[in-house]
Amino acid sequence: MKTLPVALFVEGLDDHMPVRPLRAALAQAAGWPAESGRTRADLTIYPVHEDWAAASRWYEVWWTHRTVTVASPWDETEAYPEVTTVRIERAAVLPAPPVIPLDQRPAPPVDITHLTEAELTMLGGEDRARETAERQQRIATANDLTVDIYDWAAYAATVIDQLDVPPRSLTPGQRAAAALARYLDAQHAEIATRASALSMTANALEAGDLAPLDHLDRTAPLLDPTLVTERPVAEVIARTTQTPQAPGRRGRPKIGPTINVAYPADLLDRIDALVEGPEESRAAWLRQAAAAAVARAEQRVPVQPDW
């Protein structure tokens, strides 16, 4: 199997020439990098609209790179960023795939076992019924206009030869645009991973399986200081860091020296709105927020360049 030096993508568009069989055949014929290039342009195959397609032009191959654009809001109240593909230069035009000759197209065996005795008699017996079914099958095969009539495997082999070209380097600006696209991808991945972690933490609370999370009071502020303000994480921390009371003593164990801090009334109202449940207090919430802020201020992780 041949391996292409650059990433290859096949874009699917409504009312355009088919891409699913092409994509599947290309994957069987060659391999290529799974991710978009950082310093190199990608190759993207675009189908031609069915109204403009000709036998000599079913697909176009373009050098492309990814970037971030502002999407026009449809059901959203505000515009939002999204990753899109920018065409740099057309690399090739691909013709229609070859059609498999009629006598070489696979056809299932004719089955007449579903016919009743009355139907077989009407058709002139079993042999005549089989001949009729075979003739209908030949007519259906000759009139078939689906993607199954094309030799996608042979077509993919010729396409891969055309795509096996030297890589094209991105300009500094194009590299920056591609890096911004990866940055947005990372943001989306972080949001999804954070939501998954909170959901799994809530499941652990419900199951009472907190032993693997007994270090959460130390790791959560380092991972994301805002995690300690989320109810599942805060409750796990509260349950795994409780200090046993000494016998004969009553009340909450002493946490540390008391300090008096004045807060604006509107800020206290916003904090109270975040405090949930009878087991959580304003003071506990403020302690967790302060711990998160300190952890964030103390954390010094050097940023590695993404190249």
Side-chain angles (χ1 to χ4, degrees):
M1 177 183 290
K2 184 174 292 186
T3 301
L4 300 179
V6 297
L8 175 64
F9 300 95
V10 182
E11 292 287 340
L13 299 170
D14 292 339
D15 301 324
H16 288 61
M17 306 318 292
V19 297
R20 288 186 179 180
L22 174 60
R23 187 185 293 117
L26 291 174
Q28 292 292 325
W32 52 80
E35 296 184 357
S36 183
R38 297 171 181 261
T39 61
R40 295 176 174 180
D42 307 318
L43 282 174
T44 302
I45 299 177
Y46 292 95
V48 177
H49 193 280
E50 57 187 17
D51 292 341
W52 308 325
S56 60
R57 180 172 172 263
W58 265 39
Y59 305 98
E60 291 185 350
V61 185
W62 285 75
W63 289 107
T64 61
H65 71 84
R66 300 167 76 237
T67 189
V68 176
T69 59
V70 178
S72 300
W74 293 92
D75 55 351
E76 303 286 340
T77 57
E78 296 181 357
Y80 56 93
E82 69 174 0
V83 175
T84 58
T85 301
V86 177
R87 303 188 190 193
I88 303 173
E89 184 181 12
R90 189 167 62 186
V93 176
L94 304 179
V99 177
I100 302 174
L102 280 175
D103 58 349
Q104 297 180 17
R105 298 181 193 177
V110 173
D111 181 19
I112 61 173
T113 58
H114 62 285
L115 297 176
T116 64
E117 289 296 331
E119 291 171 332
L120 288 174
T121 301
M122 182 183 65
L123 292 171
E126 184 174 332
D127 291 340
R128 294 291 300 275
R130 186 177 301 278
E131 291 176 2
T132 300
E134 290 175 347
R135 183 170 62 253
Q136 291 174 343
Q137 186 183 74
R138 287 194 297 271
I139 294 173
T141 302
N143 295 327
D144 186 6
L145 297 178
T146 67
V147 296
D148 296 332
I149 69 174
Y150 300 104
D151 191 346
W152 293 104
Y155 185 59
T158 61
V159 170
I160 289 299
D161 289 339
Q162 295 187 59
L163 300 182
D164 189 13
V165 295
R168 177 188 179 119
S169 297
L170 295 175
T171 67
Q174 292 167 347
R175 294 184 187 185
L180 289 173
R182 293 194 301 274
Y183 180 43
L184 184 57
D185 288 340
Q187 286 185 335
H188 291 164
E190 181 182 5
I191 292 172
T193 305
R194 188 179 190 275
S196 176
L198 291 174
S199 177
M200 295 296 182
T201 304
N203 292 342
L205 271 172
E206 183 177 354
D209 184 20
L210 303 184
L213 302 174
D214 60 359
H215 56 280
L216 198 58
D217 61 320
R218 301 185 300 277
T219 57
L222 297 176
L223 285 172
D224 178 0
T226 64
L227 278 176
V228 297
T229 64
E230 298 287 351
R231 184 172 184 176
V233 175
E235 190 167 345
V236 168
I237 292 175
R239 294 189 185 183
T240 56
T241 58
Q242 288 179 349
T243 304
Q245 282 188 261
R249 293 186 59 186
R250 303 178 64 182
R252 185 186 302 273
K254 185 175 179 61
I255 296 175
T258 301
I259 61 173
N260 294 323
V261 180
Y263 293 91
D266 62 333
L267 178 58
L268 290 177
D269 290 340
R270 292 164 60 190
I271 293 173
D272 290 339
L274 296 174
V275 175
E276 300 181 7
E279 297 182 359
E280 186 175 13
S281 65
R282 178 196 292 173
W285 192 96
L286 288 171
R287 282 194 296 271
Q288 293 172 1
V294 171
R296 181 169 52 188
E298 292 177 343
Q299 188 177 17
R300 296 291 185 268
V301 179
V303 177
Q304 297 296 331
D306 183 18
W307 56 56

